[in-house]
């Protein structure tokens, strides 16, 4: 494997941005995603979000495309949630699409801090709109 240092800030939402990420299961979802990313050879620098979306700061090796990473993480995490974590009435789905932002190593700490403080940013109205965008503007 070649030497690589690639950093991405990814964001995607629950289906119809419904509040599906229950606080009591959020840590288990995040733990599962980190485990899956590790299995894929990726590094998760931080993960957090709110009840209707998730942010991940990750390093994805050049052998795995960003779209493959997102597809594998979203697909397996919703499957895991629906078959392991949730009752039959609490089905979990991710919305189509995602946002991805590349950065250099100098921006990594700032991105990690932004993700780490997601709930504070949303409660205080200090989000950065461009980093909350998970789909193209279709208006």
């Amino acid at each position: 494997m070649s030497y690589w240092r690639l950093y991405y800030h990814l964001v995607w939402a629950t289906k119809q941005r419904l509040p599906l990420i229950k606080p009591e299961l959020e840590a288990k979802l995040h733990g599962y995603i980190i485990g899956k990313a590790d299995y894929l050879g990726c590094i998760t620098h931080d993960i957090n979000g709110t009840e209707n979306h998730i942010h991940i700061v990750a390093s994805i090796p050049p052998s795995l495309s960003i779209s493959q990473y997102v597809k594998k993480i979203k697909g397996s995490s919703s499957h895991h949630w629906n078959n392991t974590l949730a009752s039959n009435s609490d089905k979990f789905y991710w919305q189509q699409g995602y946002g991805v932002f590349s950065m250099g190593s100098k921006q990594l700490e700032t991105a990690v801090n932004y993700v780490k403080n997601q709930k504070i940013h949303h409660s205080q109205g200090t989000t950065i709109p461009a980093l909350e965008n998970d789909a193209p503007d279709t208006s």
Side-chain angles (χ1 to χ4, degrees):
M1 173 59 89
S2 300
Y3 177 79
W4 56 274
R5 289 292 176 261
L6 302 167
Y7 306 102
Y8 303 100
H9 180 156
L10 300 111
V11 59
W12 59 79
T14 58
K15 189 168 186 170
Q16 299 175 337
R17 283 212 173 240
L18 294 171
L20 301 178
I21 303 174
K22 308 294 184 200
E24 64 274 12
L25 296 176
E26 181 180 43
K28 290 182 180 182
L29 174 65
H30 292 176
Y32 176 84
I33 289 172
I34 291 168
K36 182 66 174 183
D38 287 348
Y39 175 78
L40 295 171
C42 303
I43 300 165
T44 304
H45 300 282
D46 210 338
I47 184 171
N48 203 355
T50 67
E51 67 280 346
N52 67 5
H53 73 284
I54 194 166
H55 289 257
I56 302 172
V57 177
S59 290
I60 303 169
S63 59
L64 182 66
S65 73
I66 297 165
S67 63
Q68 288 172 319
Y69 168 88
V70 172
K71 181 179 180 179
K72 290 175 185 289
I73 297 292
K74 286 172 70 173
S76 67
S77 63
S78 62
H79 182 268
H80 175 72
W81 182 290
N82 289 328
N83 291 289
T84 307
L85 300 176
S87 68
N88 288 338
S89 61
D90 294 329
K91 289 298 181 187
F92 184 86
Y93 304 96
W94 293 113
Q95 187 164 291
Q96 289 186 354
Y98 60 94
V100 61
F101 311 92
S102 63
M103 68 189 101
S105 60
K106 291 180 181 180
Q107 293 83 33
L108 181 60
E109 184 178 352
T110 301
V112 165
N113 286 333
Y114 183 74
V115 169
K116 189 177 300 300
N117 294 301
Q118 269 296 290
K119 290 170 185 58
I120 294 169
H121 287 305
H122 282 273
S123 69
Q124 295 179 355
T126 58
T127 59
I128 300 171
L131 295 178
E132 298 293 326
N133 194 357
D134 62 349
D137 184 5
T138 56
S139 55

